Amino acid sequence: AIAGGAAHSWKRGGFHFESGPSLYSGMDAKGKDANPMAHVFQAIGETLELKRYDTWNVVVPEGTFVTRVGKDNFCEVLAKVYNDPNHPSIAEWNR
């Protein structure tokens, strides 16, 4: 089995992938919206010193770009990357 988590990485097909921190559920969320690793720290009573950020670097075959955290800006970037505001990747991201 391959270990997972908020700081997980793996190699496949000559590419290196990093899952990175959880952008949407966050490590400080509580309840069902929390990152699974956040549940572990909450269960053992540990608090984390967290750094917040509002942008992230995205690398896809079509290029590398910086986008703000959240789906709206990411969809705008996808439309620019593909030069198509109705590209199927945008509908897929919005699911």
Side-chain angles (χ1 to χ4, degrees):
I2 297 174
H8 177 65
S9 69
W10 67 97
K11 292 181 181 178
R12 183 172 295 149
F15 294 95
H16 178 92
F17 298 89
E18 295 180 8
S19 63
S22 183
L23 291 172
Y24 297 101
S25 59
M27 290 295 285
D28 63 343
K30 305 266 191 257
K32 68 180 179 93
D33 294 329
N35 175 298
M37 192 61 156
H39 284 291
V40 172
F41 283 105
Q42 291 165 18
I44 63 173
E46 291 290 329
T47 55
L48 299 172
E49 182 179 331
L50 303 170
K51 295 192 184 257
R52 295 197 177 269
Y53 51 91
D54 62 358
T55 60
W56 57 300
N57 191 37
V58 178
V59 179
V60 293
E62 293 77 14
T64 300
F65 54 91
V66 175
T67 184
R68 289 187 309 274
V69 172
K71 77 172 185 140
D72 294 336
N73 182 247
F74 188 63
C75 290
E76 291 171 17
V77 171
L78 287 174
K80 289 178 186 172
V81 166
Y82 292 110
N83 197 28
D84 178 1
N86 299 308
H87 192 272
S89 62
I90 297 169
E92 184 177 342
W93 183 259
N94 281 318
R95 275 195 270 156

